[in-house]
């Protein structure tokens, strides 16, 4: 019986094994920039972030960090705090925004591209297309750029100056940013498509979804995204004393914490499932609870009651139990008969989701829609059914997160450039270098995940007072040292004498000696396992902590630690 299959450790295998980078929608080389932080090179770490995710100052605060769910350190204790370390690079670098050499912008036939929406996806696409040498105009309906970053996220989580800095940095590429310029009719959209060589629609998902329960039209009922928009635009300055927020996502938590800062005395979050199913991150939930927000789990609103003046006085709810999983894979909440109760409140905020508003393309726009009402796009190129029109970000899917829509914007920019200029895809060269990781703390596998500094509770209550303060340099150094640096790997070559010394010293039992008859070598090139070997050495990448003890122990110098890296090939 064959138990093991030999896999060719080529560049694709390595890329997938650097699991944090592979999980990132824009392939941010997390372990490489964390390595720079270990060396105290904040500018180098920031530079690597700019190459990938464009807005490290913003994402270091609000990214939903899929990289951390994929982080291999999480199998030992807790994942590396990759997102906060991105912010460290931005906080401590000498140059906040790298100067760009505009003379290096690609030359060739300049084409005119219009982008609808100056949110993260539109800005990312605009940035890349401008660097590619095209002439970019971005049309934004709001009085400021940033999209949901500016109007959907409160300033105590993401200070406005961080968005302004990123927008200025992109604008310096010569982009024409037209604020208060909505493309909100078929006529305007048609004129745009005719005037420009290509159009990228990145208009976001700004339409709030209704609760669809009686009483939703009462005074004091608002929709989450409208509420956050009004706060960020300075229109909503205070709220009554008892506020209920319905929903379990980031917007619901933002609405609840913002209400406290606008004067609410008591704030409730009503969520129909349990904490385990809540889309908002664990950190967000813990910050809300720290601020004494009461979260009522397994609860569904059924009616909003009002007084004779049509003002909200209570939210009628029912308790749930969890049933079978639904289409989302989460267990379906089922109401418990007889568990109804009334929650006295003065204001209800519905934060159960948003949808794109594609009304401006209704009718004969030439753009096809799915049966769910979303714009149909090609998965690879983001092209719609109308020639020269592309779409991406929240506009094609409904609400996602900043890093995913930045990924859309960057991939769409490449596809639009290919459409306009026929430029080839980027190619990469891969290489390995004999090198040992730098470690500041030899006991790095025992370091606990570090906590960010935060503003004390008493000083939190201004809406624009940032609460999370990031890591100190000392905490950052410790957290960076926790990284297992998955772009380093041990290699055992044919000098191996099968002595087993490496097995004896490995602290995590990552190396095993396997009888040759247990290994399927059919797909391997001839000679890859010498004929006179009765056994082979196997390395468990999942368990390896890159300590290098095996390299030091090997009596015949058959084990090397190598660093995997890649660079864009000059075309």
């Amino acid at each position: 019986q064959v138990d093991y299959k030999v896999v060719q450790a080529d560049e694709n295998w390595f890329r997938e094994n650097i699991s944090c980078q592979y999980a990132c929608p824009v392939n941010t080389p997390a372990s490489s920039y964390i390595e720079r932080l270990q060396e105290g090179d904040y500018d180098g770490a920031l530079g690597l972030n700019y190459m990938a995710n464009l807005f490290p100052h913003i994402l270091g605060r609000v990214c939903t960090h899929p990289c951390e769910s994929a982080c291999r350190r999480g199998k030992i204790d807790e994942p590396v705090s990759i997102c906060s370390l991105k912010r460290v690079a931005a906080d401590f670098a000498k140059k906040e925004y790298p100067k760009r050499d505009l003379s290096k912008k690609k030359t060739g036939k300049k084409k005119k591209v219009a982008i609808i929406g100056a949110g993260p996806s539109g800005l990312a696409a605009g940035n890349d297309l401008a660097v590619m040498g095209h002439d970019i105009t971005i049309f934004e309906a709001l009085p400021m750029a940033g999209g949901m970053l500016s109007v959907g996220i409160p300033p105590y989580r993401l200070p406005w100056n961080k968005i302004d800095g990123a927008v200025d940095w992109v604008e310096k590429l010569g982009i024409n940013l037209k604020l208060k310029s909505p493309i909100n009719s078929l006529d305007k959209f048609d004129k745009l498509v005719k005037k420009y060589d290509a159009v990228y629609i990145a208009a976001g998902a700004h339409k709030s979804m209704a609760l669809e329960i009686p009483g939703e039209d009462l005074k004091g009922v608002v929709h989450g995204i409208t509420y956050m928009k009004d706060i960020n635009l300075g229109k909503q300055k205070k709220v009554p004393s008892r506020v209920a927020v319905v929903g379990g996502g980031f917007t619901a938590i933002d609405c609840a914490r913002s209400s406290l800062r606008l004067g609410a005395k008591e704030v409730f979050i009503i969520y129909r499932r349990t904490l385990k199913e809540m889309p908002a991150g664990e950190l967000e939930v813990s910050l809300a609870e720290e601020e004494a927000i009461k979260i009522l789990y397994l609860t569904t609103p059924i009616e909003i009651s009002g007084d004779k003046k049509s003002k909200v006085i209570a939210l009628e709810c029912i308790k749930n139990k969890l049933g079978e999983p639904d289409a989302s894979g989460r267990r379906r909440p089922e109401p418990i008969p007889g568990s109804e109760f009334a929650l006295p409140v003065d204001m209800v905020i519905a934060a159960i989701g948003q949808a794109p508003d594609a009304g401006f393309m209704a009718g004969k726009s030439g753009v096809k829609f799915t049966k769910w009402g979303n714009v149909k796009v090609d998965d690879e190129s983001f092209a719609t059914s109308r020639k020269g029109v592309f779409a991406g970000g929240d506009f094609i899917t409904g609400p996602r997160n900043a890093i995913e829509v930045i990924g859309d914007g960057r991939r769409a920019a490449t596809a639009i450039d290919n459409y306009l200029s026929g430029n080839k895809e980027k190619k990469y060269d891969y290489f390995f270098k004999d090198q040992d990781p730098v470690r500041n703390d030899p006991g790095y596998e025992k370091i606990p995940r570090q906590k960010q500094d935060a503003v004390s509770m008493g000083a939190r209550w201004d809406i624009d007072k940032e609460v999370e303060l990031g890591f100190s340099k000392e905490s950052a150094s410790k957290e960076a040292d926790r990284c297992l640096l998955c772009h380093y790997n041990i290699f055992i070559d044919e000098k191996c004498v099968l002595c087993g010394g490496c097995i004896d010293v490995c602290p995590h039992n990552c190396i095993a000696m396997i009888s040759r008859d247990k290994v399927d070598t059919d797909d391997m090139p001839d000679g890859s396992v010498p004929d006179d070997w009765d056994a082979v050495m196997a390395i468990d990448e999942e368990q390896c902590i890159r300590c290098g003890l095996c390299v030091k122990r090997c009596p015949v110098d058959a084990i090397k630690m190598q660093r995997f890296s890649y660079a864009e090939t000059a075309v």
Side-chain angles (χ1 to χ4, degrees), residues 479-500:
E479 189 60 35
D481 245 10
R482 294 183 70 242
C483 177
L484 299 179
L485 300 173
C486 296
H487 57 306
Y488 283 85
N489 276 80
I490 58 166
F491 289 80
I492 303 176
D493 65 28
E494 67 279 357
K495 291 199 295 289
C496 174
V497 292
L498 301 173
C499 68

Side-chain angles (χ1 to χ4, degrees), residues 29 99 381 462 495:
K99 197 166 179 356
S381 70
D462 287 343
K495 291 199 295 289

